[in-house]
Amino acid sequence: MTVRTRFAPSPTGYMHIGGIRTALFNWLWARKNGGQFILRIDDTDQQRNMDEALGPILDAFRWLGLDWDEGPEVGGDHGPYFQSQRRDLHDAALEKLLASGAAYRDFEAAEDTRAQREAAEKEKRVYLSSRVSAGLTEAEVTEKLAAGETHVVRFLIPRGRTVSIDDHVRGHVEWDCGLMVDPVIARGDGSPLYNFATAVDDGQLQITHVIRAQEHLSNTPAQVLLHEALGNDLPEFAHIPFVASPGGRKKLSKRDVDKYRKSPAFQKLFQLGDEVLSATGIDPADQSLSPVMVAYYREVGFLPAGVLNALARLGWSLDDETENMSLQTVQQNFSLERVVKASAGLDPDKLMSYQSYWMGKLSAEEKLKGCVDMLVKADLVPENPDADTLNMVAAVVKLAADRIRVFGDILGMDEFFVSADTLKYSEKDFQKRVVKPEPAVDLLRELRQLLATTDEFTADAMHIVVEGFVEQKEIKFGQIAPALRLSVTGKAKGADLFPTLELLGQEECLRRIDRAIGTAESMKVV
RNA sequence: GGCCCCAUCGUCUAGUUAGGCCUAGGACACUGGAUUUUCAUUCCAGUAACGGGGGUUCAAAUCCCCCUGGGGUCACCA
């Protein structure tokens, strides 16, 4: 039988990083087995703008390169793939269950049901559905219906037996039906509820493997019973661990981003993200993007390969040593048997490590393209840049080498894309390296003369000039290099100094040194 | 609270199904050193774990029981 897996997101306007991990495992299992991966949109009745709500979800799949065989935009033989459009299927299934007596119309007032539940809770006994309505004769039901009495439809749990599954990751799990409440499967208005719609849809879509997060384990007995009553082939189940917050055990949640912001484990990621996001005109504080969302990583300049690698290794391993894996490698080696049982915390450090690895694998062209896009977004480079600009960016990217782990890191090298008069100094370092040391300004002034009279302004030539200068003045390299770096780049750290000078060019370097000298002197006066 | 799930370095994990090859392996992070006259990289080294208690056995991280701890879920949400 062909393996068919599905991922059924609700259109919420963003794609959760944990959600896409579940989708990834479904995709992997389908691809590994030459099967189909289906995307079904579990939208309910009142939904907001569908483009707005679904767009980001499909974008996330496309960005990561996870294609779907059936679903929105691609169609398929088992459609429609929007749950809201499958109502006739649900209605027919509901009729079937009603007719067979597997379900009953419950006319009990909602407040009565609630009161019973609360009473049971108070008395510390198990609450079970009263089933008063289940005992109604056909005539009585017809009468109530004619009288327009509102009712829900409940599934009649076969008490006195157990349900069990042999879960691919959890093993044998069993539930006592005698403890289960008859679940509502249709609302007062006749619309289907999740557990019921899911069973109907999974059955009709011929899903063979339901791979979903562990939190759904408690939904499983009801769904299994529903499948039985519907006469569906029972799918196999794999309840995978959910993605937990860094350091914690709790489900990673959009609601807790404020807390994550304070967590040490998340510190570096937030810092990087804040810088990149604000440079590209997105306010990091408004939480339209956060590390809980897939889009966050794209906007900060992560690679699909990096994110995918981290996600795959969260709760799954190939063996005892393989860490860096392409999607293809994971796909070839994926197995549900090697999925771990315990929930796994997302580790931003490890994610960054995978990311750096894959960034290192990129060709110069790909790297250049990613960086250019980022620079354009940050307005440091014009849209559709000319060849000169492109060459400049390429040179910077090459010089930056592995300092660029994510494309957003190029924005930290903005000194190459601004003019001498708009260059920003790192205040503290400038004080420490240029203003405070007594001879720094004088040395800079003298060195400037030397640099100005050099015909050949190359990295090697500059190196020789500065070395000669150091020798002649009988100072240490460390007494002039930091000041020079600060003057020219505004920063204390960065790429190799002499190639940096060459890249900036003689004129620009001189302008920057002049400005630094002026600035330092005015600071000294005050 | 009921039901269910889970438990190896700080983190992600290997090892658990078929007990011995485990004086518990790898990776990330961290610390130290070398290289790089900054930073980043690279290289080398180091710190660091079987939650506790009982069994079974010649032998237990691995099997059994109890405890503890963590988590999920208990809707006319999905």
Side-chain angles (χ1 to χ4, degrees), chain A residues 12-46:
Chain A
T12 51
Y14 72 99
M15 188 64 232
H16 192 280
I17 190 80
I20 203 80
R21 204 285 236 95
T22 301
L24 170 65
F25 280 23
N26 274 282
W27 183 91
L28 250 11
W29 187 245
R31 291 287 169 266
K32 162 79 194 257
N33 292 291
Q36 285 116 36
F37 172 63
I38 294 127
L39 211 49
R40 182 181 76 220
I41 307 305
D42 279 9
D43 55 342
T44 36
D45 17 48
Q46 72 292 16

Coordinates of all heavy atoms in Angstrom, one line a residue, chain A residues 12-46:
Chain A
T12 N -3.4 30.2 10.5 CA -3.3 31.1 11.6 C -2.5 32.4 11.3 O -2.3 33.3 12.2 CB -2.5 30.4 12.8 OG1 -1.3 29.9 12.3 CG2 -3.4 29.3 13.4
G13 N -2.0 32.5 10.1 CA -1.2 33.7 9.7 C 0.3 33.5 9.9 O 1.0 34.4 9.6
Y14 N 0.7 32.4 10.5 CA 2.1 32.2 10.6 C 2.4 30.7 10.7 O 1.5 29.9 11.1 CB 2.7 32.9 11.9 CG 2.3 32.3 13.2 CD1 3.2 31.4 13.9 CD2 1.0 32.5 13.7 CE1 2.8 30.8 15.0 CE2 0.7 31.9 14.9 CZ 1.5 31.1 15.6 OH 1.1 30.5 16.7
M15 N 3.6 30.3 10.4 CA 4.0 28.9 10.5 C 4.9 28.7 11.7 O 6.0 29.3 11.8 CB 4.7 28.5 9.3 CG 5.0 27.0 9.2 SD 3.4 26.0 9.1 CE 3.7 24.8 10.4
H16 N 4.4 27.9 12.7 CA 5.1 27.6 13.9 C 6.3 26.7 13.6 O 6.2 25.8 12.8 CB 4.2 26.9 14.9 CG 4.7 26.8 16.3 ND1 5.6 25.9 16.7 CD2 4.4 27.6 17.4 CE1 5.8 26.0 18.0 NE2 5.2 27.0 18.4
I17 N 7.5 27.0 14.2 CA 8.7 26.2 14.0 C 8.5 24.7 14.4 O 9.0 23.8 13.7 CB 9.9 26.9 14.6 CG1 11.2 26.2 14.2 CG2 9.8 26.8 16.2 CD1 11.7 26.7 12.9
G18 N 7.7 24.5 15.4 CA 7.5 23.2 15.9 C 6.5 22.5 14.9 O 6.6 21.3 14.6
G19 N 5.6 23.2 14.4 CA 4.6 22.7 13.4 C 5.3 22.2 12.2 O 5.0 21.2 11.6
I20 N 6.3 23.0 11.7 CA 6.9 22.7 10.5 C 7.8 21.4 10.7 O 8.1 20.6 9.8 CB 7.8 23.8 9.9 CG1 8.0 23.7 8.4 CG2 9.1 24.0 10.5 CD1 6.8 24.0 7.5
R21 N 8.3 21.2 11.9 CA 9.1 20.1 12.3 C 8.2 18.8 12.1 O 8.6 17.8 11.6 CB 9.6 20.2 13.7 CG 10.8 19.4 14.0 CD 10.6 17.9 14.2 NE 11.0 17.4 15.5 CZ 10.3 17.3 16.6 NH1 9.0 17.6 16.5 NH2 10.8 16.8 17.7
T22 N 6.9 18.9 12.6 CA 6.0 17.8 12.5 C 5.7 17.6 11.0 O 5.7 16.4 10.5 CB 4.6 18.2 13.1 OG1 4.9 18.4 14.5 CG2 3.7 17.0 13.0
A23 N 5.5 18.6 10.2 CA 5.3 18.5 8.8 C 6.5 17.9 8.1 O 6.4 17.0 7.3 CB 5.1 19.9 8.2
L24 N 7.7 18.3 8.6 CA 8.9 17.7 8.0 C 9.0 16.2 8.2 O 9.3 15.4 7.2 CB 10.2 18.3 8.7 CG 11.5 17.7 8.4 CD1 11.9 17.9 6.9 CD2 12.6 18.3 9.3
F25 N 8.7 15.7 9.4 CA 8.7 14.3 9.6 C 7.7 13.5 8.8 O 7.9 12.4 8.3 CB 8.4 14.0 11.1 CG 9.7 14.2 12.0 CD1 10.7 15.0 11.6 CD2 9.8 13.5 13.2 CE1 11.8 15.2 12.3 CE2 11.0 13.7 14.0 CZ 12.0 14.6 13.6
N26 N 6.5 14.2 8.6 CA 5.5 13.6 7.7 C 6.0 13.5 6.2 O 5.9 12.5 5.5 CB 4.2 14.4 7.7 CG 3.3 14.0 8.8 OD1 2.6 13.0 8.8 ND2 3.3 14.8 9.9
W27 N 6.6 14.6 5.8 CA 7.2 14.7 4.5 C 8.3 13.6 4.3 O 8.3 12.9 3.3 CB 7.8 16.1 4.3 CG 8.3 16.4 2.9 CD1 7.6 16.9 1.9 CD2 9.6 16.2 2.5 NE1 8.4 17.1 0.8 CE2 9.7 16.6 1.1 CE3 10.8 15.7 3.0 CZ2 10.9 16.5 0.3 CZ3 11.9 15.6 2.3 CH2 12.0 16.0 0.9
L28 N 9.1 13.6 5.3 CA 10.3 12.6 5.2 C 9.8 11.2 5.1 O 10.3 10.4 4.3 CB 11.0 12.8 6.5 CG 12.4 13.4 6.6 CD1 12.9 14.1 5.4 CD2 12.6 14.3 7.9
W29 N 8.8 10.8 5.9 CA 8.3 9.5 5.9 C 7.6 9.1 4.6 O 7.8 8.0 4.0 CB 7.3 9.3 7.0 CG 6.8 7.9 7.2 CD1 5.6 7.4 7.0 CD2 7.6 6.7 7.6 NE1 5.5 6.0 7.3 CE2 6.8 5.6 7.6 CE3 9.0 6.6 7.9 CZ2 7.3 4.3 7.9 CZ3 9.5 5.3 8.2 CH2 8.6 4.2 8.2
A30 N 6.9 10.1 4.0 CA 6.3 9.9 2.7 C 7.3 9.7 1.6 O 7.3 8.8 0.8 CB 5.3 11.0 2.4
R31 N 8.3 10.6 1.6 CA 9.3 10.6 0.6 C 10.2 9.3 0.7 O 10.6 8.7 -0.3 CB 10.2 11.8 0.7 CG 9.5 13.1 0.3 CD 9.3 13.2 -1.2 NE 8.3 14.3 -1.5 CZ 7.0 14.2 -1.7 NH1 6.5 13.0 -1.5 NH2 6.3 15.2 -2.0
K32 N 10.6 9.0 1.9 CA 11.4 7.8 2.2 C 10.7 6.6 1.6 O 11.4 5.7 1.1 CB 11.6 7.7 3.7 CG 12.1 6.3 4.1 CD 13.6 6.1 3.9 CE 14.0 4.7 4.0 NZ 14.7 4.4 5.3
N33 N 9.4 6.5 1.7 CA 8.7 5.3 1.3 C 8.1 5.5 -0.1 O 7.2 4.7 -0.5 CB 7.6 5.0 2.3 CG 8.2 4.5 3.6 OD1 8.8 3.5 3.7 ND2 8.1 5.4 4.6
G34 N 8.5 6.5 -0.8 CA 7.9 6.7 -2.2 C 6.4 7.0 -2.1 O 5.7 6.6 -3.1
G35 N 6.0 7.6 -1.1 CA 4.5 7.8 -0.9 C 4.1 9.2 -1.2 O 4.9 10.0 -1.9
Q36 N 3.0 9.6 -0.7 CA 2.5 11.0 -0.9 C 2.3 11.8 0.4 O 2.0 11.2 1.4 CB 1.1 10.9 -1.6 CG 1.2 10.6 -3.1 CD 0.5 9.3 -3.3 OE1 -0.5 9.0 -2.7 NE2 1.0 8.5 -4.3
F37 N 2.7 13.0 0.3 CA 2.5 13.9 1.4 C 1.4 14.9 1.1 O 1.4 15.5 0.0 CB 3.8 14.7 1.6 CG 3.7 15.8 2.7 CD1 3.4 15.5 4.0 CD2 4.0 17.1 2.3 CE1 3.3 16.5 4.9 CE2 3.9 18.1 3.3 CZ 3.5 17.8 4.6
I38 N 0.4 15.0 1.9 CA -0.8 15.8 1.7 C -0.9 16.9 2.6 O -0.6 16.8 3.8 CB -2.0 14.9 1.8 CG1 -2.0 13.8 0.6 CG2 -3.3 15.7 1.7 CD1 -2.2 12.4 1.1
L39 N -1.2 18.1 2.1 CA -1.5 19.2 2.9 C -3.0 19.5 2.9 O -3.6 19.7 1.9 CB -0.8 20.4 2.3 CG -0.2 21.5 3.2 CD1 0.6 21.0 4.3 CD2 0.6 22.5 2.3
R40 N -3.5 19.4 4.1 CA -5.0 19.7 4.3 C -5.1 20.9 5.2 O -4.4 20.9 6.2 CB -5.6 18.5 4.9 CG -7.1 18.6 5.0 CD -7.8 17.4 5.7 NE -7.5 17.4 7.1 CZ -7.3 16.2 7.8 NH1 -7.2 15.1 7.2 NH2 -7.1 16.3 9.1
I41 N -5.9 21.8 4.8 CA -6.1 23.0 5.6 C -7.3 22.8 6.6 O -8.4 22.8 6.1 CB -6.2 24.2 4.7 CG1 -5.1 24.3 3.7 CG2 -6.2 25.5 5.6 CD1 -3.7 24.2 4.3
D42 N -7.0 22.7 7.8 CA -8.1 22.6 8.8 C -8.6 23.9 9.2 O -8.4 24.4 10.3 CB -7.6 21.8 10.0 CG -7.6 20.3 9.8 OD1 -7.8 19.9 8.6 OD2 -7.3 19.5 10.7
D43 N -9.3 24.6 8.3 CA -9.9 25.8 8.6 C -11.3 25.6 9.1 O -12.0 24.6 8.7 CB -10.0 26.7 7.3 CG -10.7 26.0 6.2 OD1 -10.8 24.7 6.2 OD2 -11.1 26.6 5.2
T44 N -11.7 26.3 10.0 CA -13.1 26.1 10.5 C -13.9 27.3 10.1 O -13.4 28.3 9.6 CB -13.1 26.1 12.1 OG1 -12.1 26.9 12.5 CG2 -12.8 24.7 12.5
D45 N -15.2 27.1 10.3 CA -16.2 28.1 9.9 C -15.7 29.5 9.6 O -15.4 29.9 8.5 CB -17.3 28.1 10.9 CG -16.9 27.5 12.2 OD1 -15.8 27.8 12.7 OD2 -17.6 26.6 12.7
Q46 N -15.7 30.3 10.7 CA -15.4 31.7 10.5 C -13.9 31.9 10.4 O -13.2 31.8 11.4 CB -16.0 32.6 11.5 CG -15.5 32.6 12.9 CD -15.7 31.2 13.6 OE1 -16.0 30.2 13.0 NE2 -15.6 31.2 14.9

